[in-house]
Amino acid sequence: MDHLQSAVTSLVHGSNTLFILMGAVMVLAMHAGFAFLEVGTVRQKNQVNALCKILSDFAVSTLAYFFIGYWISYGVSFMQPAAALSTDHGYGLVKFFFLLTFAAAIPAIISGGIAERARFAPQLCATALIVAFVYPFFEGLVWNGNFGLQAWLQGRFGAPFHDFAGSVVVHAMGGWLALAAVLLLGPRQGRYRDGRLVAFAPSSIPFLALGSWILIVGWFGFNVMSAQTLQGVSGLVAVNSLMAMVGGTVAALVVGRNDPGFLHNGPLAGLVAVCAGSDVMHPLGALVTGLIAGALFVWCFTAAQGKWRIDDVLGVWPLHGVCGVWGGIACGVFGQQMLGGIGGVSLASQLLGTALGVLVALAGGFAVYGAIKYGHGLRLSQEEEYYGADLSIHKIGAISQD
């Protein structure tokens, strides 16, 4: 009997390890989506830089999170024998891998906002500081109950801040960090002339679309496998992700008037927004969440570039920052039982938790990028920007001229 129980326990741990490993690999693949979305959006003279930034940022993020960030969030250190780390089929290590891919999404998000004029090494320094300190601080507050925030919200409002897969913890955090960096950098050379916006056309709609599709597919690992165990997996999360993605697509198509850039970012807006409440919403609530997110993205991107003169190249603040905030709030609305949700959420907790995420991101972004800007410099020179980051930094272009 003991042998049978041991075999069952081993099977459970092994299955959970494989499950979360598959999720980690799917989210890792999303970084190719971030890369190609940026490659397709920036001008051709900055395509190599986009590819190099995403891969380099991931490497730096891994080191920062392994040695510092994961310990700040969860109090776990890997400075112990391999035999101890490999217990339960190494589930703890694979959980780190999975959560690392979330942490590394932060600099990948920021990369799209500061494209075409940011220096390479300073951005890597910012990545290290953000993934080691800023992101883990808020991640630990929400997902590990650090400093008693969740317990206080539970006692005061009847439910903690609910963010199942990171609308606020990952996406809003990345979007608002990016906004701070974009504001400190300023617009690209020639973006505004005589008070008017000058259009910089995307270099490749096919690459942009490819990046969007890679992100869409990987997102089902991002959301569904946030359960982290086979026992916790839910088809509701999958269908809610699907409905929000479709809602965002339709809204962006209509509000964006068939613009392919808006169309391929619309599904991402819906997916960002549904992350927080994908495990508690009814599919119709997820659909409405996605519809609103798609429209929000188009409106905020247009206003930011034209009216407010915020030169956010990929629109990461509207896409991740604004839609992430909407996702945190939408969870508190459509997660309610009266609207078909499962319940167990508080709108007050969602509002406070979301607002805190924005404050932490803005404070961290201005602190990190501000210190680097005034201490070392963030931006390429005017000449370097004119020739493009590819030749100025990497000494090679995306397409051979032979």
Side-chain angles (χ1 to χ4, degrees), residues 232-255:
V233 72
S234 170
L236 180 66
V237 176
V239 172
N240 280 344
S241 301
L242 175 67
M243 297 301 285
M245 183 269 286
V246 170
T249 304
V250 171
L253 176 65
V254 174
V255 180

Side-chain angles (χ1 to χ4, degrees), residues 170-248:
V170 178
H171 296 287
M173 179 69 59
W176 289 88
L177 278 162
L179 177 63
V182 166
L183 292 176
L184 286 169
L185 272 171
R188 289 167 287 177
Q189 296 291 336
R191 183 60 166 157
Y192 300 97
R193 293 177 187 167
D194 300 324
R196 294 184 178 183
L197 175 68
V198 177
F200 287 177
S203 59
S204 173
I205 295 299
F207 275 153
L208 188 159
L210 174 64
S212 175
W213 272 108
I214 294 172
L215 286 167
I216 288 168
V217 173
W219 222 295
F220 287 86
F222 196 100
N223 278 6
V224 175
M225 292 173 177
S226 285
Q228 299 187 21
T229 64
L230 271 174
Q231 300 96 308
V233 72
S234 170
L236 180 66
V237 176
V239 172
N240 280 344
S241 301
L242 175 67
M243 297 301 285
M245 183 269 286
V246 170

Side-chain angles (χ1 to χ4, degrees), residues 105-132:
I106 301 293
I109 290 168
I110 296 170
S111 175
I114 64 176
E116 300 201 314
R117 75 274 204 203
R119 296 173 64 193
F120 192 61
Q123 168 56 18
L124 292 180
C125 291
T127 291
L129 292 171
I130 288 167
V131 178

Side-chain angles (χ1 to χ4, degrees), residues 31 38 49-65 100 103-112 114 119-128 131 369:
H31 288 262
E38 185 172 338
N49 181 245
L51 293 169
C52 292
K53 279 192 300 177
I54 299 299
L55 183 57
S56 300
D57 277 336
F58 188 88
V60 171
S61 296
T62 300
L63 297 175
Y65 200 61
L100 159 69
I106 301 293
I109 290 168
I110 296 170
S111 175
I114 64 176
R119 296 173 64 193
F120 192 61
Q123 168 56 18
L124 292 180
C125 291
T127 291
V131 178
Y369 286 100

Side-chain angles (χ1 to χ4, degrees), residues 25-342:
V25 171
M26 288 183 72
V27 184
L28 174 61
M30 290 176 69
H31 288 262
F34 284 120
F36 279 100
L37 191 69
E38 185 172 338
V39 166
T41 305
V42 298
R43 291 168 291 178
Q44 190 178 91
K45 62 183 180 180
N46 296 295
Q47 289 181 324
V48 172
N49 181 245
L51 293 169
C52 292
K53 279 192 300 177
I54 299 299
L55 183 57
S56 300
D57 277 336
F58 188 88
V60 171
S61 296
T62 300
L63 297 175
Y65 200 61
F66 183 86
F67 288 106
I68 303 173
Y70 197 67
W71 175 77
I72 290 176
S73 292
Y74 302 102
V76 175
S77 170
F78 297 107
M79 300 300 106
Q80 49 187 299
L85 295 174
S86 61
T87 57
D88 296 335
H89 295 269
Y91 177 82
L93 288 173
V94 179
K95 180 180 178 180
F96 156 77
F97 182 12
F98 181 68
L99 291 171
L100 159 69
T101 59
F102 282 50
I106 301 293
I109 290 168
I110 296 170
S111 175
I114 64 176
E116 300 201 314
R117 75 274 204 203
R119 296 173 64 193
F120 192 61
Q123 168 56 18
L124 292 180
C125 291
T127 291
L129 292 171
I130 288 167
V131 178
F133 300 105
V134 180
Y135 170 74
F137 170 74
F138 189 67
E139 178 191 22
L141 284 179
V142 176
W143 285 343
N144 198 47
N146 295 352
F147 301 107
L149 172 68
Q150 294 286 44
W152 181 80
L153 291 172
Q154 173 79 50
R156 182 69 177 81
F157 302 109
F161 174 60
H162 187 90
D163 191 357
F164 179 71
S167 285
V168 179
V169 174
V170 178
H171 296 287
M173 179 69 59
W176 289 88
L177 278 162
L179 177 63
V182 166
L183 292 176
L184 286 169
L185 272 171
R188 289 167 287 177
Q189 296 291 336
R191 183 60 166 157
Y192 300 97
R193 293 177 187 167
D194 300 324
R196 294 184 178 183
L197 175 68
V198 177
F200 287 177
S203 59
S204 173
I205 295 299
F207 275 153
L208 188 159
L210 174 64
S212 175
W213 272 108
I214 294 172
L215 286 167
I216 288 168
V217 173
W219 222 295
F220 287 86
F222 196 100
N223 278 6
V224 175
M225 292 173 177
S226 285
Q228 299 187 21
T229 64
L230 271 174
Q231 300 96 308
V233 72
S234 170
L236 180 66
V237 176
V239 172
N240 280 344
S241 301
L242 175 67
M243 297 301 285
M245 183 269 286
V246 170
T249 304
V250 171
L253 176 65
V254 174
V255 180
R257 299 181 182 181
N258 304 326
D259 182 283
F262 287 143
L263 172 62
H264 287 95
N265 277 283
L268 308 183
L271 286 163
V272 165
V274 83
C275 285
S278 56
D279 62 328
V280 295
M281 292 180 181
H282 187 278
L284 291 178
L287 177 62
V288 175
T289 297
L291 285 166
I292 294 174
L296 265 178
F297 168 71
V298 174
W299 184 83
C300 287
F301 181 88
T302 304
Q305 297 287 340
K307 294 180 181 179
W308 306 328
R309 299 188 184 181
I310 300 173
D311 190 16
D312 176 352
V313 181
L314 268 67
V316 298
W317 173 65
L319 181 63
H320 297 274
V322 175
C323 292
V325 165
W326 161 236
I329 297 169
C331 175
V333 176
F334 295 108
Q336 302 286 345
Q337 289 182 333
M338 68 180 69
L339 293 177
I342 290 176

